[in-house]
Amino acid sequence: MSEQNRKSLGPLPALIFSSRWLQLPLYLGLILAQVVYVILFGKELWHLIHESLELTEQQIMLIVLALIDVVMISNLLVMVIVGGYETFVSRLGLQGHPDQPEWLSHVNASVLKVKLAMAIIGISSIHLLKTFIEAGTIGALPLCSEVAAGVKCTNTTAEGVMWQTLIHMAFIVSAIGIAWTDRIMQASITRAKHPSGH
């Protein structure tokens, strides 16, 4: 049946439908980006292990948060690569596979959009937590842009903390808006399929 449908496509519809494969190099590029993040994780982990006896508790906490940040960004990449390919390019044929991710069984453009928004909020939360930990250096250390190299300094400013908090709140509001819009759309589809009184 699918073979007949494929043969019935005219040249222009076939060309337009095949254009989805132009996204394949983009997903392959994201896989390479994933490799870079694995290398970055190894670099941060080696730094933590190698200098663990010399680091303060706060420095260790910041490195651990950096490791968590890398993992969460890597999870975001996996969602975009696997979910995006499955949704917009071609089926992966993972039905019944023991390693199929639970979320992939019901993924679509709307679900992927909400999951990506939640992942971005998680990443933003880690960055904000790192900023709050470093906020104790505000006023105690000079800004790195104002001192020579090698002098102990900080890049954190009160204005920077404020803007990062506002941006994080904007992410949260955007995610709530996306989820609320998706819920309204799903409710409308459900009502259209099962009208009351029938």
Side-chain angles (χ1 to χ4, degrees), residues 78-79 82-83 92 94 97-107:
V78 169
M79 277 195 288
V82 179
L92 291 170
L94 296 177
H97 194 282
D99 293 330
Q100 179 187 7
E102 184 275 332
W103 56 269
L104 191 60
S105 61
H106 53 269
V107 71

Side-chain angles (χ1 to χ4, degrees), residues 36-56:
V36 172
Y37 267 100
V38 171
I39 296 172
L40 178 61
F41 184 91
K43 178 182 175 183
E44 291 287 343
L45 185 60
W46 171 252
H47 179 217
L48 176 62
I49 295 173
H50 185 64
E51 301 183 12
S52 58
L53 299 179
E54 302 173 5
L55 296 172
T56 64

Side-chain angles (χ1 to χ4, degrees), residues 70-174:
V70 171
V71 171
M72 294 187 73
I73 293 176
S74 182
N75 291 340
L76 178 62
L77 283 170
V78 169
M79 277 195 288
V80 173
I81 294 168
V82 179
Y85 185 89
E86 174 88 8
T87 303
F88 300 109
V89 180
S90 181
R91 295 289 184 184
L92 291 170
L94 296 177
Q95 289 77 10
H97 194 282
D99 293 330
Q100 179 187 7
E102 184 275 332
W103 56 269
L104 191 60
S105 61
H106 53 269
V107 71
N108 55 45
S110 297
V111 172
L112 186 61
K113 186 166 51 179
V114 173
K115 287 186 176 295
L116 291 179
M118 297 306 297
I120 291 172
I121 289 175
I123 294 169
S124 176
S125 299
I126 295 297
H127 280 263
L128 190 60
L129 180 57
K130 289 170 62 178
T131 300
F132 284 159
I133 292 173
E134 294 173 342
T137 61
I138 297 177
L141 295 174
L143 291 175
C144 293
S145 59
E146 299 175 352
V147 297
V151 178
K152 192 173 182 180
C153 58
T154 180
N155 288 312
T156 306
T157 63
E159 185 179 3
V161 173
M162 179 193 71
W163 279 111
Q164 193 167 344
T165 303
L166 291 175
I167 292 171
H168 180 70
M169 295 302 297
F171 283 149
I172 294 175
V173 172
S174 298

Side-chain angles (χ1 to χ4, degrees), residues 12-69:
L12 183 58
L15 175 63
I16 293 173
F17 185 59
S18 299
S19 67
R20 72 193 190 280
W21 288 103
L22 291 174
Q23 295 189 49
L24 180 59
L26 307 182
Y27 292 114
L28 294 177
L30 289 179
I31 293 174
L32 294 178
Q34 180 97 322
V35 173
V36 172
Y37 267 100
V38 171
I39 296 172
L40 178 61
F41 184 91
K43 178 182 175 183
E44 291 287 343
L45 185 60
W46 171 252
H47 179 217
L48 176 62
I49 295 173
H50 185 64
E51 301 183 12
S52 58
L53 299 179
E54 302 173 5
L55 296 172
T56 64
E57 181 182 358
Q58 180 174 329
Q59 289 173 325
I60 292 175
M61 189 182 302
L62 289 172
I63 295 176
V64 170
L65 287 175
L67 292 174
I68 295 173
D69 184 38

